[in-house]
Amino acid sequence: MSISFDKSTKTFYLDGKNVTYAFFINSRGFAEHLYYGKKIHHDFYLYTRATGTTSVLASAPGDAGYKGLFSYDSMSPELSFFGTGDYKECAVHAGYKEGDRLTELLFDGYEILAEKPKISGMPSLDGGETLVVHLYDKVKDFGADLYYTVYDDCDVIARRVVYTNHAQSEVKLLRAYSFAMGLAGNKYDAISLFGGWAKERTPERVALHHGVFSIDSKQASSSAKLNPFMAIVGKETTETQGDAYGFSLVYSSSYILKAEVATSGETVVLGGINDFDFTWTLSEGESFETPEIVIAYSEDGIGGMSRAFHDAFREHLIDKKRVKSPRPLLINNWEATYFNFNYEKLAAIVDAVEGTGIDTFVLDDGWFGKRDDDSSGLGDWYVNENKLSGGIDRIINYVNSKGMKFGLWFEPEMINEDSDLYRAHPDYAIGAPDRPRCYSRHQYVLDLTRSDVCDYIVNSVNTMLKNHNIEYVKWDYNRNVTEFFSFGRAPERQGEFAHRYALGLYDICERIVKGNPDVFFEGCSGGGARFDPAILYYFPQIWTSDDSDAEERTRIQYGTSLVYPLSAMSCHVSAVPNHQVGRNTPLKTRGDIAHLGATGYELDTTKFTDDDKKAVASQILEYKKMENLVLEGDLYRIDNPFDSNYFAFAIVSKDKSEAHLTCYRTLCICNAETHRVKMQGLDPNKQYYIPEKQMILHGSTLMNVGMPINFPKGDYMTVTYHFEEK
Ligand code: GLA
């Protein structure tokens, strides 16, 4: 890994594990993008840029001798701005005291820092050597510092911007993105992940066109609708080969990512905090820090891009203490009881898992306040003694007496109208003057832009954690903000709401999650609606979806894996008929699919037959054998359930000494053609023992000849294989 500056061409070269990123400072002082891709030698790549047509383009400001050779409209930006002749989407749009909104940010020096600085108040990847390029608008005394970090163990670059107002008058940021980046050429497809409740993260691939392709959230949450991720891939790029650029924003509130195909024949990608319903006022000397964008590159197609993200997030984002350690193997009571439980019922669920290997019991929604259904109690984080006679310690002690850990559900950001908290502080709930609020699941969102509200949440959750032996927390977030307004904030500052919500969220996560390092925290959002890298910084795993049907989960987990490692996905074995879709799938299949993540169980274990219990115990033994691969291995997606009757994931250890393959078939077809799977990611020269086949084969054979997969008769069947180096 290295960052260097060639003074003769004013080019910055950033070399990572297998990637090179390069840009230069042109004659005007503009930071012009040159290259991002496979690692290459350091030449001056300017000759590769398209010149395009220049006849009707604007000159740079004040450039009277303009000969049509220099116009911002035909430049490939590192950070683009408005009002200087570039009519493409800009990354910065700022308003000044005179009412003008023009910016020209030019080179004003650089530094190379030994350590990557943290963003104040926001999560980001850690890292070493970091380039900071200072850009400055001399007319307005407005600065932008561009931060770049490359890594020697993963193929990503991390970027962000710090905008600073050095003038005596205020600057209003109307748009303050995290980056812009040019890509040579215009023949690309975009891949995004759309979805909704119980159908999170479905990949969608469309052709880029002249004009702007964009995805966004306006929900003050990263949202299930569109994950804060976009890939730009070559037309010919497949799962296994071709150029793939991935853009993943470390952010949990309203965001936007765009790709614009320009007249010049170039493509510009940019984005960050959504500028819809956004303004931010900077007084003299104040700075605004943007969230970080992680940009992955692979020449090995979409699969290679995913592995780059998985490595980056596991090595540099997720809590080091947790990321590669075995996760709690839990039984959760939600689908077993919903709100209808008491001490005896919970104790019976715990009794029924004895001897299976399940080590944690998680008490879900309904234990607090006056909470008998979803219409009351949120905000009152003290025990409902009517339901749990003897208090929460009675059930905790019982769980602990069985040698198990105890976990508890919270929804810290929410409030019901029917709660003691609302009766005392109705203004804590987000709302707007003179308008009724929108309900969602009978609840409102607490105003995390206010420090007194954050303090209330931190105190009430931390009091529970301090006073009881709670070793695991499921942190839920079941609705989105609707009224973007904060009581008490100045009218001209209301456009800061969505970003301030994110800052409030990160503040309470710092004080609750990081403040209780011995408690394991899992993220959740009405299923997997807030599944983003910033949440992963605090929560090593996130509940992937409320849809726990094994068939549907093959697609949800496939889509999620485009960006996020398997260990980030919380996946449970649930009951049949499945509560979301009514489907019956075999227990083995439910186990095999749930074991492709941080696994657990969520069903009424008191209904287990002796055979079920034995099956669960042996499933867990099997899981333990592959757990290190789930936590640390490289993922290869072999069969895609979106376009076939099959799903197959292979996970290979980093040293290629071990692998696991899970194959799944949706429908059984009589007299079907042979289904062959060619392994990926093995060492071609190593020999592997496959216990299920009692065979020893070379990696080259397994990857080139493949294996016919013999599924048992029946729909929704799985077959799994292990590969051990001989
Ligand atoms: C959300 C979660 C579920 C469960 C319920 C409880 O829907 O995704 O797993 O915790 O809330 O109300």
Side-chain angles (χ1 to χ4, degrees), residues 18 46 55 271-272 369 383 430 547-548 677 686:
N18 299 299
L46 180 60
S55 58
V383 179
I430 292 169
D547 187 345
S548 56
V677 162
K686 282 188 168 148

Side-chain angles (χ1 to χ4, degrees), residues 293-310:
I293 185 84
V294 182
I295 312 176
Y297 169 78
S298 176
E299 61 173 339
D300 297 327
I302 302 159
M305 173 203 73
S306 298
R307 288 186 290 279
F309 278 130
H310 300 172

Side-chain angles (χ1 to χ4, degrees), residues 213-260:
F213 168 85
S214 78
I215 55 156
D216 79 344
S217 158
K218 301 182 186 73
Q219 299 180 209
S221 157
S222 47
S223 94
K225 271 194 186 169
L226 285 161
N227 199 259
F229 154 79
M230 183 164 81
I232 302 296
V233 302
K235 290 275 172 209
E236 311 295 326
T237 296
T238 64
E239 177 65 21
T240 54
Q241 46 191 307
D243 286 333
Y245 298 89
F247 301 82
S248 173
L249 193 67
V250 188
Y251 194 52
S252 314
S253 189
S254 304
Y255 74 89
I256 190 156
L257 291 170
K258 299 172 178 168
E260 177 165 9

Side-chain angles (χ1 to χ4, degrees), residues 370 375-378 380 415-423 442:
K370 191 169 74 62
S375 67
S376 61
L378 288 172
D380 299 343
I415 183 167
N416 282 119
E417 232 169 49
D418 185 1
S419 68
D420 292 344
L421 180 63
Y422 188 85
R423 281 180 282 275
H442 309 288

Side-chain angles (χ1 to χ4, degrees), residues 332-334 341 362-367 407-409 474 476 602:
N332 174 302
N333 75 306
W334 178 242
F341 59 81
V362 177
L363 175 53
D364 210 282
D365 194 354
W367 59 268
L408 200 56
W409 181 96
K474 177 178 175 187
D476 212 338
E602 182 164 342

